[in-house]
Amino acid sequence: MTNPFQLLGISDDVVNAVKDLGFENPTPIQEQSIPVLLEGTNDFVGLAQTGTGKTAAFGLPLLELIDFKVNKPQALILCPTRELCLQIANDLKNFSKNIANAHVVAVYGGANIMQQLREIRQGVQIVVATPGRMLDIIGRKAIDFSNVKYVVLDEADEMLNMGFQDDINDILSTTPDDKKTWLFSATMPAEVRRIAKNYMDNPIELTMGTKNTGNVNIEHEYYIVRARDKYAALKRIVDFNPEIFAVVFCKTKLDTQDVAEHLIKDGYNADALHGDLSQQQRDKVMQRFRERNMQLLIATDVAARGIDVNNVTHVINYSLPDEIESYTHRSGRTGRAGKTGISICIINSKEVGKIRQLERIIGKQFTKAELPTGFDVCEKQLFSLVHKVHNVEVNEEQIDQYIPRIMDEFKDLSKEDVIKRFASLEFNRFLEYYSKAPDLNAAVGDDRGERGERGERRGRGSEGYTRLFINLGSVDEFTRGDMLSFICNNGKIGGKSVGKIDLKGVFSFFEVEDDVADKVFEGFKSVEFNGRQVRIEKSGDSGRGEGAGERRGGGERRGGGFGGERRSGGGGGYRGGGDRRSSGGSGRREGGNSGGGFRDFSGRSRDEKGGSREGGSGRREGGNREGGSGERRKKW
Ligand code: AMP
């Protein structure tokens, strides 16, 4: 039987490679674009969502059109982020693995440029690049684009949103006039239209799905909660979905770190991804997420852009994006490769109007969902456990030797009793945590009189906590996760005892529970960091103005939106509950051992952090622009 990719005009070598990747049938976008692009004679505009098979849609025709006997750049693919760049390059390498002498290079900021230059010098036919680094290399006269026949602008809307317009102009001016340009974009704002008009000659335009429409495989839901209940609502949603594998979006780097830290402390398998992390840290986080060693990736829009991780079950909008169109990109992290997914918005009652706007943009209705009650969560968790017990793979060989003793231990219990006890082992913990769980659903208008999330934080004090000054901060390459580990390791206290961490430039403030403050002082008595004596003081002892010269005034952060919930909740979610901690703190160790926010930070070596902060020469790439460049984008 002829392979459907062959029918579209793809050659055997490439067909065999995609077969190895498990591609049996072309996706709709591939079916539509491949025959058109294979002609190689037209400019092209493809309006397509991410996750639809876009890379193969342009990648397979490119491989057919390139002359691999010639070792010169013939195709240039520009994309907005390093992650996407690596992904595309990797896909193309996989697609071309059976083609002799095929060379693909990925060129992106935040990585060693010498290595990239070396690869280019050795000869490549396909260059996949982010604009900042590409321009850098062009500026060094290290690449010759005079043989380029095809330019692909992938996620064009995102590139423009990130301010790459001028860079793209400059890069394209170094390519021949008669090249063909293929542009892909998830949305079609006026700026992308303008690009199509300025750079292209009568492009063939294909719309895969309806314009600006979200992926049909994604269900959209929203929950209305009071601003102060947002974090509790997030936990409840996660608890109600024991198999969740989700990306949680926050608006700022600070919120991202906050939410991740609190989830980790509460025993969830989570970590943060944002632009304050070094490239190495971001890679580690992504690797853990890809390998499913982490359940919840808490990310900013910029950091998560272009991430292609299959089988993400949920996207959670912890905060709605500043720009309406970002919603399509966020929700596109789920429902990929034909799978279904759920995109959830946790909003306050004043934001219902925004949901209506989103419905108009994506052309789909949102379902108003109710947060489950504590009882619902317990039931769900219980049966998840029951199913796990039922389906667990039994290692007969290993367990057999213990069976007689186990049977002996249970000899006075009936089968029913044993089952009851196994189930209760976990269930009691859920029950304990959720027995007094309040109804978190808020009605429209419930937010009246509330000061909003920020105002709420500001108003709350940190009762029971001592605020301390430390002479280390972000210039020492500390993230908040690092600082937390540093405090815990040296102060010999658990993460639960640490309140807000206010990371400044050359110093920071952090809170610890009053009754462990002395222990922390003791622990830090002779700690050095990079040859420097680490000093901690009670905040105010030094006469240092807390907010002095710092935009994020200490006062604002003190209360901490999550601290309240955590403290009043008597120590976090049930996942981080007493049992687990007393049995060795496995909840927390999860993060630590796998290289996430809780690395072993003893205060002596920081080698693992690597030198380069992201950005490097690719100045606009990565997280620097988190928070949104925005101007050209449609605001709410
Ligand atoms: P993309 O939109 O190119 O990022 O692709 C999204 C995901 O779909 C990637 O994980 C691809 O490997 C996968 N994919 C692309 N085309 C196919 C296909 N024809 N069959 C199965 N999976 C595919």
Side-chain angles (χ1 to χ4, degrees):
M1 205 173 70
T2 320
N3 180 288
F5 284 98
Q6 244 161 353
L7 292 177
L8 291 177
I10 303 299
S11 59
D12 291 353
D13 284 346
V14 178
V15 168
N16 288 335
V18 297
K19 261 206 293 203
D20 288 347
L21 292 171
F23 296 10
E24 284 170 12
N25 291 298
T27 64
I29 176 177
Q30 290 160 3
E31 217 157 28
Q32 288 184 68
S33 338
I34 290 174
V36 176
L37 295 178
L38 265 181
E39 296 197 2
T41 48
N42 289 297
D43 286 339
F44 178 88
V45 173
L47 194 52
Q49 304 297 314
T50 53
T52 48
K54 200 160 36 97
T55 316
F58 65 74
L60 304 190
L62 268 188
L63 295 182
E64 300 298 328
L65 293 166
I66 283 171
D67 180 357
F68 288 100
K69 288 196 275 314
V70 178
N71 225 358
K72 291 179 177 161
Q74 297 166 54
L76 167 65
I77 299 161
L78 292 175
C79 63
T81 63
R82 168 187 196 279
E83 279 78 15
L84 189 55
C85 177
L86 280 166
Q87 223 164 266
I88 295 172
N90 198 35
D91 284 354
L92 289 173
K93 283 176 189 168
N94 284 331
F95 301 156
S96 62
K97 69 175 185 181
N98 302 325
I99 303 178
N101 200 32
H103 298 293
V104 180
V105 67
V107 162
Y108 50 89
N112 186 345
I113 196 168
M114 300 319 285
Q115 171 62 24
Q116 294 172 359
L117 291 171
R118 210 170 301 129
E119 282 184 59
I120 291 169
R121 265 200 306 277
Q122 281 164 3
V124 296
Q125 295 98 0
I126 304 178
V127 179
V128 189
T130 53
R133 177 58 63 93
M134 192 68 259
L135 211 52
D136 196 339
I137 287 176
I138 291 172
R140 292 168 189 241
K141 305 211 179 324
I143 198 154
D144 169 16
F145 280 151
S146 61
N147 288 289
V148 165
K149 297 192 174 51
Y150 303 95
V151 170
V152 180
L153 303 174
D154 195 19
E155 301 214 348
D157 51 351
E158 286 305 326
M159 285 201 283
L160 295 184
N161 186 40
M162 290 170 81
F164 284 132
Q165 167 92 60
D166 292 344
D167 291 0
I168 294 173
N169 284 345
D170 293 347
I171 295 166
L172 291 187
S173 70
T174 68
T175 59
D177 288 343
D178 62 353
K179 64 172 179 293
K180 300 299 165 217
T181 306
W182 303 347
L183 178 150
F184 288 85
S185 193
T187 59
M188 193 52 76
E191 297 79 21
V192 177
R193 277 255 155 260
R194 212 166 302 132
I195 284 220
K197 206 162 150 240
N198 292 347
Y199 292 118
M200 298 185 186
D201 188 18
N202 248 338
I204 294 180
E205 206 172 309
L206 281 183
T207 301
M208 275 66 70
T210 331
K211 279 181 194 177
N212 285 344
T213 299
N215 183 328
V216 288
N217 295 330
I218 303 170
E219 298 282 329
H220 302 264
E221 294 178 354
Y222 67 99
Y223 293 88
I224 305 179
V225 301
R226 283 169 291 273
R228 63 165 179 268
D229 289 334
K230 247 174 145 180
Y231 178 65
L234 171 65
K235 288 204 301 186
R236 202 167 291 185
I237 291 167
V238 172
D239 292 346
F240 192 67
N241 293 283
E243 303 303 325
I244 197 167
F245 180 54
V247 184
V248 179
F249 282 97
C250 297
K251 221 183 270 188
T252 64
K253 299 177 202 177
L254 208 64
D255 285 346
T256 304
Q257 191 68 38
D258 259 359
V259 173
E261 274 171 25
H262 283 86
L263 285 170
I264 294 166
K265 274 199 225 169
D266 286 346
Y268 294 83
N269 194 358
D271 213 337
L273 184 76
H274 57 70
D276 269 356
L277 305 179
S278 69
Q279 201 65 67
Q280 243 180 339
Q281 287 173 312
R282 290 210 287 167
D283 288 348
K284 261 192 204 167
V285 172
M286 274 317 297
Q287 190 185 348
R288 283 181 60 211
F289 191 59
R290 273 209 181 89
E291 290 170 357
R292 298 189 79 119
N293 289 328
M294 188 209 307
Q295 244 184 320
L296 303 169
L297 178 72
I298 322 300
T300 54
D301 286 291
V302 173
R305 211 159 269 163
I307 286 175
D308 173 29
V309 176
N310 284 337
N311 303 321
V312 167
T313 58
H314 293 72
V315 162
I316 301 180
N317 294 271
Y318 188 75
S319 333
L320 290 174
D322 277 336
E323 291 136 8
I324 304 173
E325 289 186 335
S326 296
Y327 181 79
T328 315
H329 285 278
R330 286 183 175 191
S331 54
R333 299 307 111 210
T334 184
R336 297 173 78 78
K339 301 272 170 31
T340 55
I342 298 175
S343 175
I344 287 174
C345 299
I346 305 176
I347 61 166
N348 63 53
S349 64
K350 292 179 202 137
E351 293 177 306
V352 175
K354 293 183 177 178
I355 297 293
R356 300 284 98 86
Q357 283 188 55
L358 283 177
E359 286 179 331
R360 277 194 293 278
I361 293 250
I362 65 168
K364 271 187 99 172
Q365 276 215 320
F366 277 64
T367 307
K368 181 178 179 304
E370 293 280 310
L371 281 162
T373 63
F375 179 80
D376 295 337
V377 173
C378 290
E379 191 178 80
K380 192 75 178 275
Q381 288 282 352
L382 176 65
F383 282 96
S384 162
L385 172 73
V386 168
H387 288 136
K388 270 189 201 151
V389 171
H390 195 266
N391 298 332
V392 72
E393 208 174 305
V394 176
N395 187 334
E396 306 277 357
E397 212 176 299
Q398 294 295 324
I399 198 88
D400 264 3
Q401 54 186 315
Y402 302 110
I403 291 297
R405 257 174 71 194
I406 294 172
M407 296 307 272
D408 192 49
E409 294 270 355
F410 288 134
K411 68 173 183 287
D412 56 332
L413 297 176
S414 68
K415 175 182 168 189
E416 196 185 336
D417 278 336
V418 173
I419 292 174
K420 256 192 226 167
R421 278 162 205 241
F422 266 106
S424 298
L425 207 61
E426 285 284 294
F427 190 53
N428 289 350
R429 265 187 325 115
F430 313 148
L431 269 184
E432 193 187 333
Y433 180 69
Y434 275 113
S435 61
K436 295 195 186 73
D439 180 3
L440 296 176
N441 294 293
V444 175
D446 264 10
D447 272 333
R448 265 195 299 262
E450 272 204 287
R451 292 163 63 206
E453 201 186 346
R454 292 251 161 229
E456 195 59 31
R457 284 181 185 201
R458 218 171 280 138
R460 250 187 259 167
S462 296
E463 268 176 52
Y465 279 73
T466 304
R467 189 166 167 84
L468 300 174
F469 160 91
I470 184 165
N471 62 339
L472 294 171
S474 54
V475 296
D476 302 292
E477 294 208 326
F478 269 79
T479 65
R480 291 153 64 81
D482 295 338
M483 184 59 84
L484 182 60
S485 308
F486 191 73
I487 296 162
C488 293
N489 287 337
N490 291 294
K492 316 263 182 315
I493 55 171
K496 287 271 173 196
S497 299
V498 183
K500 291 304 299 174
I501 295 174
D502 212 356
L503 203 65
K504 311 280 187 187
V506 292
F507 59 91
S508 306
F509 295 101
F510 63 93
E511 295 178 339
V512 293
E513 283 169 346
D514 288 339
D515 52 358
V516 299
D518 286 343
K519 195 172 167 199
V520 173
F521 272 110
E522 191 59 33
F524 271 96
K525 252 187 180 158
S526 53
V527 174
E528 284 195 356
F529 182 77
N530 278 354
R532 224 166 7 122
Q533 173 72 42
V534 176
R535 200 160 42 80
I536 59 168
E537 293 166 11
K538 265 229 179 89
S539 164
D541 283 0
S542 61
R544 218 173 286 263
E546 277 195 22
E550 295 286 343
R551 274 195 301 125
R552 298 174 199 151
E556 186 192 338
R557 308 289 314 161
R558 283 189 78 132
F562 313 107
E565 143 83 7
R566 202 162 38 81
R567 282 161 217 152
S568 62
Y574 67 81
R575 292 179 185 235
D579 290 0
R580 203 175 272 212
R581 277 198 309 279
S582 59
S583 66
S586 61
R588 279 219 39 228
R589 273 214 316 267
E590 259 170 20
N593 294 341
S594 35
F598 284 87
R599 286 165 304 141
D600 177 20
F601 235 81
S602 61
R604 270 155 285 278
S605 159
R606 294 189 56 80
D607 285 355
E608 83 257 47
K609 290 211 58 161
S612 79
R613 287 252 135 195
E614 77 194 42
S617 57
R619 56 216 174 276
R620 300 206 186 96
E621 286 149 36
N624 299 339
R625 295 174 70 95
E626 277 161 334
S629 54
E631 296 96 291
R632 298 200 202 87
R633 277 304 187 80
K634 195 169 171 212
K635 302 274 185 190
W636 295 100

